[in-house]
């Protein structure tokens, strides 16, 4: 099965917005490469407009702290599990509440954002272990219909979790995931995609050197082609439908397209939405 690619042109307003993003981020490109970037990154994510009618609730699910974004009328047996981005080094559940609230309001489902472990304090596989614990915690609360959602590194983590959960479900040890939606996922920590070079100037946020540093601190001595760290090298058998969103102006473009190609070849129902001229995780930067 070939991946279904949907190409979205950029409007004049889109291009104007991207020009503003480039002007604002030029001085900071490639600088999110250490724990010292956490306060600034959290401030940026916290500034995203929150959706109306969504309430936040601090919680511990499966032993993992985090936050719920709750919406009135949401079904009790369903939820979105949102894994945040930040290169496995920055980002937090609290800072991601405004962005995740948009998913809660638009989908009509409660959203859980776990605070999975970050490098260098808690390197691989801590983040994946925490995501698994959060999954089991949702199951223990009677939540049986779960969509996994994530962006950037959290998108890669989402796809790693998806592979594990799907295998567990096939063995009868958990319920199967409903679907997975990822934005600009980092699927290849070996950094082999051609877009790392071809999009290096065009990407307003990320550089290959920045990702190389993040990967080294996250992986330690782990092979970057370990399938649990880089889901592009994993087993695609039995995966549920996957939807990917990626911009043409980002170094992680091939991480998305190559993953979609391999998943489609394995028979997965996967759609890749390719957004012209858009930067990394662009939905977080546009008025919603």
């Amino acid at each position: 099965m070939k991946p279904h690619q949907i190409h979205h042109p950029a409007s004049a307003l889109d291009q104007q917005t991207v020009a503003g993003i480039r002007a604002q981020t030029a001085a900071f490109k490639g600088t999110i490469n250490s724990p010292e970037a956490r306060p600034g990154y959290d401030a940026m994510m916290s500034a995203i407009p929150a959706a109306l009618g969504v309430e936040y609730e601090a919680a511990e699910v499966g032993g993992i702290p985090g936050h719920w974004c709750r919406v009135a009328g949401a079904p009790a047996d369903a939820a979105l599990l949102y894994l945040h981005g930040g290169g496995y080094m920055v980002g937090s559940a609290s800072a991601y509440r405004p962005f995740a609230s948009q998913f809660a309001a638009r989908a009509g489902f409660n959203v859980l954002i776990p605070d999975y472990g970050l490098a260098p304090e808690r390197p691989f596989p801590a983040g994946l272990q925490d995501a698994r614990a959060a999954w089991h915690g949702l199951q223990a609360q009677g939540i049986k219909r779960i969509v996994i959602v994530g962006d950037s590194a959290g998108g890669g983590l989402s796809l790693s979790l998806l592979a594990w959960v799907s295998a567990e479900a096939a063995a009868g040890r958990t319920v199967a995931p409903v679907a997975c939606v990822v934005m600009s996922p980092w699927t290849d920590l070996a950094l082999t995609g051609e877009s790392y070079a071809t999009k290096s100037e065009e990407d307003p946020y990320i550089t290959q050197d920045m990702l190389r540093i993040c990967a080294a601190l996250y992986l330690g001595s782990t092979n970057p082609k370990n399938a649990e760290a880089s889901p592009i090298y994993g087993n695609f058998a039995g995966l549920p439908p996957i939807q990917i969103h990626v911009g043409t102006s980002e170094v992680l473009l091939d991480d998305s397209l190559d993953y979609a190609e391999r998943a489609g070849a394995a028979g997965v129902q996967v759609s890749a939405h390719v957004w012209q001229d858009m930067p990394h995780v662009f939905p977080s930067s546009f008025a919603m």
Side-chain angles (χ1 to χ4, degrees):
M1 181 183 298
K2 290 185 177 181
H4 182 44
Q5 284 195 14
I6 303 96
H7 292 264
H8 302 270
S11 68
L13 181 58
D14 290 337
Q15 292 171 340
Q16 181 180 350
T17 303
V18 170
I21 291 172
R22 292 186 181 281
Q24 291 176 346
T25 61
F28 307 102
K29 179 175 177 175
T31 61
I32 300 177
N33 57 12
S34 74
E36 284 69 35
R38 289 172 184 168
Y41 187 84
D42 277 3
M44 176 182 70
M45 297 306 301
S46 296
I48 293 172
L52 297 177
V54 179
E55 296 185 354
Y56 303 146
E57 175 191 328
E60 186 174 284
V61 178
I64 309 302
H67 287 270
W68 279 103
C69 297
R70 295 194 180 275
V71 61
D77 68 339
L80 272 60
L81 176 59
Y82 193 101
L83 300 175
H84 69 77
Y88 296 110
M89 190 182 306
V90 304
S92 68
S94 177
Y96 263 78
R97 290 178 302 177
F99 189 34
S101 75
Q102 296 287 346
F103 290 86
R106 293 163 187 270
F109 292 92
N110 294 326
V111 179
L112 175 68
I113 321 165
D115 260 320
Y116 64 84
L118 298 177
E121 298 93 336
R122 298 189 64 220
F124 176 83
L128 182 56
Q129 291 172 340
D130 289 351
R132 291 173 177 175
W135 175 275
H136 281 309
L138 290 174
Q139 298 276 295
Q141 292 185 12
I143 298 173
K144 305 300 184 183
R145 295 184 292 144
I146 305 172
V147 175
I148 304 171
V149 184
D151 70 280
S152 193
L157 184 59
S158 293
L159 294 170
S160 294
L161 176 65
L162 187 73
W164 176 80
V165 171
S166 298
E168 289 290 291
R173 291 189 286 266
T174 188
V175 298
V178 173
C180 185
V181 180
V182 289
M183 295 159 282
S184 305
W186 189 13
T187 66
D188 181 9
L189 273 64
L191 311 181
T192 64
E194 292 183 2
S195 57
Y196 285 101
T198 60
K199 299 293 181 178
S200 61
E201 295 298 322
E202 195 174 339
D203 192 313
Y205 297 121
I206 300 175
T207 67
Q208 187 172 13
D209 285 343
M210 168 186 148
L211 291 178
R212 188 176 288 112
I213 292 170
C214 292
L217 289 174
Y218 175 60
L219 292 171
S221 60
T222 300
N223 187 328
K225 292 188 176 182
N226 181 307
E228 292 191 333
S230 296
I232 198 168
Y233 302 108
N235 183 0
F236 297 92
L239 298 187
I242 300 171
Q243 186 178 98
I244 301 171
H245 293 267
V246 65
T248 63
S249 295
E250 56 174 307
V251 296
L252 288 174
L253 175 61
D254 283 351
D255 275 50
S256 290
L257 299 184
D258 292 349
Y259 179 91
E261 187 71 28
R262 296 189 188 196
V268 178
Q269 181 183 335
V270 55
S271 60
H273 291 256
V274 183
W275 297 80
Q276 185 66 37
D277 298 334
M278 294 298 104
H280 187 64
V281 195
F282 68 91
S284 68
S285 302
F286 283 66
M288 294 186 286

